[in-house]
Amino acid sequence: MKKIFLFLTIFFALAAVAQQDQLAQNYFDKGDFDKAKISYEELLKQQPGNGYYFQKLVDSYQQLQQYDLADKLIQDRLARFQQGSVLVELGYNFQLRKDDSKAKKYYEQALDKIRKNPNEVYNIASVFERKVLIDYALQAYQLALTLEPKLNFNFQMAMLYGQSGNTDMMIDKFLTEAFENPQNSIMIQNQLTRFMTEDGEATFNESLRKALLLRAQKSQDIFWNQYLSWFYVQQKEYGKAFIQEKAIYRRDSESLANIENLAQLANEEGETETAKEIFTFMLENTNDLDLKIKANYYLMEMRIAAAPEKDYKTIETDLAALLKQFGISPYSLKLQILEAHFVTFNLKNPEQGKAILKTALDLPLNKYDLADVKMELADILLYEEKFNQALIYYSQIDDDLKNDVIGHEASLKAAKTSYFKADFSWAQQQFKALKSASTQLIANDALEYFLLINDNTAEDSTQVALKKFARADYLLYQNKNTEALAQFQSILAAFKGKEIEPVTLLRLGKTYEKLNDYNLALSQYREIIDHHAESIYIDEALYFSAEIYNKKLNLPEKAKPLYEKLLFGHEDSIYFIDARKKFRQLRGDSNL
């Protein structure tokens, strides 16, 4: 019975302390320092050796500018424990009172503690850091390293140099730590990325690039090629990253995994020529069946995207040859799906496309492969205007993989199907739900269609213009570009000055781009820039125009002011970051 009573007494005492601790913290967090002071005084009486309560009470006194009370508390602590970290607290209390000479005296005494015992640095430097006494914290670490070179404070010192604005030393310390302890590389890269994405990134990126190149030249260690590849990927300079990956592969040819990832990334970012080069390299350097199929798939996909109609017959022959080479199996499924898509959307033969996919459905497929086949089958049914059948397949995929990216993609396609068949009310509900999708591309796409329907329903409750626009969009989906152009142009003629006009101009511009008629594309975008500057499509018109001048017409001087206009007038644009990078390139920033 006595043991139970003792246990209950201890339990309730601890519970009371915990409750009081939480109350004190709440007072402190809310800035009610008078009440926090009283609470922490009581807690410290109960646990006089508790360093946390001591610190919070000192902080409360200092927030209330009760420096004498803080001084007495710190002096008592110092007399009792003789800790170097308490000397820093004492010095800081004098610093708050503007007595810099006494503050310096105690800071130096704290450093003397490290001279006597380098292991004291852990507590002393951390207090210097907490008080944002960066120079003293660095002195503490440097002093300890001088006395005991085996200690390692690269990461801590790098962070401090970063806080002080000395990014060159920060880079040096981070890279030294990464090389000495490669297991910390990802954490260090995350820290470096923070600086690379801030406004002053141009100078920082150049410093980091030079530091990496210098280390690569000095040591010839493959580690620095890997780091340079990572750096160039952050800069979206995939060609330069590929140079580093090739150097790595020549010295360690065990795997092409990194090169494969780089190729796919370049392809996703629209760096087609670089992606082709990398995939071709993969084909030349592997006997792995899966890699060969993947490389051929992506090369063929890019070829189809850029091909004029006169090349379709050759492509059809080459696709058939690839499938004959690799066989009809789950391994070659992506090629089978690509062939089905090509014969439907390019050769206008949906029956053949469906036949290819129905053969694929008989293969032993996992749920993701099955979803890919069903998705393409639904796309072909949609192409044939069999809207309800397409919706059934999209719904099946969404049900089977509800929380997966492919499930969200199926939901988006289902919403677009409803939009194409002018069921705007149902489509709007689906687009609204998808605006918060975890995948940014899906969320952006959903938002675009949500606004399109919303804006053009508010102005015209009969939705006449929107129905015509949806039909034109559907013709684009079917790859019937000439018919789509005629439909968009008729919308412009019939609804001049209406809400639908700027988005119609935008669609015309993208369609002309697709047909490589860049001057006509530019004229549509110019109409938006000159006459619809308040529309939500202005940032796209600026960006797409700049891209044509920069990439297609090789007229960078005309691209630069368009990027600049986007940067200074549309900071919330999804194209802002890319436009900033390209503007800096054209401006001639040294790191680019």
Side-chain angles (χ1 to χ4, degrees), residues 145-320:
L145 286 170
T146 303
L147 296 166
E148 184 50 77
K150 290 181 180 178
L151 295 173
N152 180 1
F153 304 113
N154 289 320
F155 191 88
Q156 295 94 320
M157 293 178 76
M159 296 293 289
L160 289 167
Y161 281 125
Q163 289 178 56
S164 68
N166 189 344
T167 52
D168 285 342
M169 283 301 297
M170 181 191 77
I171 289 168
D172 180 74
K173 289 294 181 183
F174 270 143
L175 295 185
T176 299
E177 175 64 14
F179 185 71
E180 291 177 357
N181 296 289
Q183 70 274 14
N184 294 333
S185 277
I186 292 176
M187 179 172 63
I188 290 165
Q189 286 171 354
N190 289 338
Q191 292 296 332
L192 291 171
T193 302
R194 285 177 51 225
F195 286 82
M196 292 164 74
T197 56
E198 291 171 358
D199 287 338
E201 66 180 75
T203 303
F204 178 79
N205 290 353
E206 174 64 3
S207 297
L208 179 55
R209 184 183 69 85
K210 285 182 177 177
L212 287 168
L213 286 171
L214 190 62
R215 287 172 182 253
Q217 291 163 2
K218 278 185 177 179
S219 76
Q220 300 295 310
D221 194 293
I222 198 171
F223 179 86
W224 299 116
N225 297 106
Q226 293 166 340
Y227 239 83
L228 275 164
S229 177
W230 165 82
F231 171 79
Y232 287 128
V233 167
Q234 306 314 301
Q235 302 299 295
K236 297 188 176 181
E237 295 181 289
Y238 303 111
K240 292 180 180 178
F242 181 44
I243 292 170
Q244 299 303 320
E245 290 296 341
K246 279 194 292 187
I248 295 166
Y249 183 75
R250 289 189 183 108
R251 294 163 66 182
D252 179 12
S253 56
E254 284 188 14
S255 172
L256 281 162
N258 288 341
I259 290 177
E260 179 192 352
N261 292 337
L262 182 62
Q264 292 190 22
L265 190 55
N267 187 38
E268 288 166 10
E269 293 290 333
E271 297 290 338
T272 308
E273 292 307 313
T274 301
K276 284 180 183 175
E277 185 183 356
I278 303 173
F279 282 123
T280 302
F281 178 86
M282 286 170 57
L283 280 178
E284 292 169 350
N285 290 275
T286 187
N287 291 315
D288 182 274
L289 178 64
D290 188 46
L291 279 183
K292 279 184 173 291
I293 292 173
K294 280 183 183 177
N296 276 294
Y297 166 80
Y298 285 111
L299 286 168
M300 186 59 75
E301 185 184 50
M302 288 183 277
R303 184 178 163 192
I304 290 169
E309 193 170 343
K310 64 182 178 62
D311 292 344
Y312 287 174
K313 194 65 182 173
T314 306
I315 290 172
E316 183 182 21
T317 302
D318 291 347
L319 263 172

Side-chain angles (χ1 to χ4, degrees), residues 24 61 152 159 226 234 256 296 298 305 318 342 365 396 399 403 419 443 460 484 499 513 538 543 556 573:
Y61 285 147
N152 180 1
M159 296 293 289
Q226 293 166 340
Q234 306 314 301
L256 281 162
N296 276 294
Y298 285 111
D318 291 347
F342 176 74
L365 305 176
Q396 285 178 5
D399 288 340
N403 296 317
Y419 161 75
D460 176 13
E499 186 72 35
E513 275 195 68
I538 180 66
Y543 182 77
S573 171

Side-chain angles (χ1 to χ4, degrees), residues 104-141:
K104 183 179 178 181
K105 169 188 166 185
Y106 287 110
Y107 294 154
E108 291 298 333
Q109 286 182 21
L111 293 174
D112 283 339
K113 289 273 189 181
I114 298 173
R115 290 185 179 94
K116 293 174 184 175
N117 179 7
N119 287 322
E120 287 271 8
V121 70
Y122 294 101
N123 291 325
I124 292 170
S126 67
V127 179
F128 278 134
E129 286 184 52
R130 193 166 64 245
K131 306 298 184 187
V132 199
L133 299 166
I134 294 170
D135 288 341
Y136 277 107
L138 284 168
Q139 280 186 57
Y141 286 127

Side-chain angles (χ1 to χ4, degrees), residues 6 27 34 38 42 61 85 92 117 129 135 151 192 249 291 300 325 329 340 440 443 447 454 469 494 516 574:
L6 180 62
Y27 287 140
D34 279 311
I38 294 166
E42 183 60 35
Y61 285 147
S85 58
Y92 187 68
N117 179 7
E129 286 184 52
D135 288 341
L151 295 173
L192 291 171
Y249 183 75
L291 279 183
M300 186 59 75
Q325 176 186 348
S329 74
Q440 194 62 46
L447 177 61
N454 195 62
F469 190 89
N516 298 325
I574 61 172

Side-chain angles (χ1 to χ4, degrees), residues 49 66 282 418 449 485 585:
Q66 295 175 350
M282 286 170 57
S418 298
Y449 281 95
L485 280 174
Q585 280 180 319

Side-chain angles (χ1 to χ4, degrees), residues 333 337-338 340-341 344-345 353-354 357-358 360-361 365 367-383 386 389-402 404-417 442 477:
L333 184 65
I337 293 172
L338 182 62
H341 189 90
T344 299
F345 289 86
K354 286 189 293 185
L357 295 174
K358 284 173 182 175
L361 284 173
L365 305 176
K367 63 179 180 178
Y368 292 100
D369 288 341
L370 184 61
D372 286 340
V373 177
K374 285 185 175 182
M375 188 84 83
E376 187 62 39
L377 191 52
D379 291 349
I380 293 174
L381 289 166
L382 178 55
Y383 173 91
K386 295 175 180 175
Q389 290 182 48
L391 282 170
I392 290 170
Y393 279 106
Y394 290 138
S395 298
Q396 285 178 5
I397 298 165
D398 186 28
D399 288 340
D400 292 342
L401 297 164
K402 190 167 288 295
D404 203 279
V405 172
I406 195 168
H408 292 158
E409 186 183 346
S411 291
L412 181 66
K413 289 189 173 186
K416 286 184 179 180
T417 302
I442 290 173
Y477 171 80

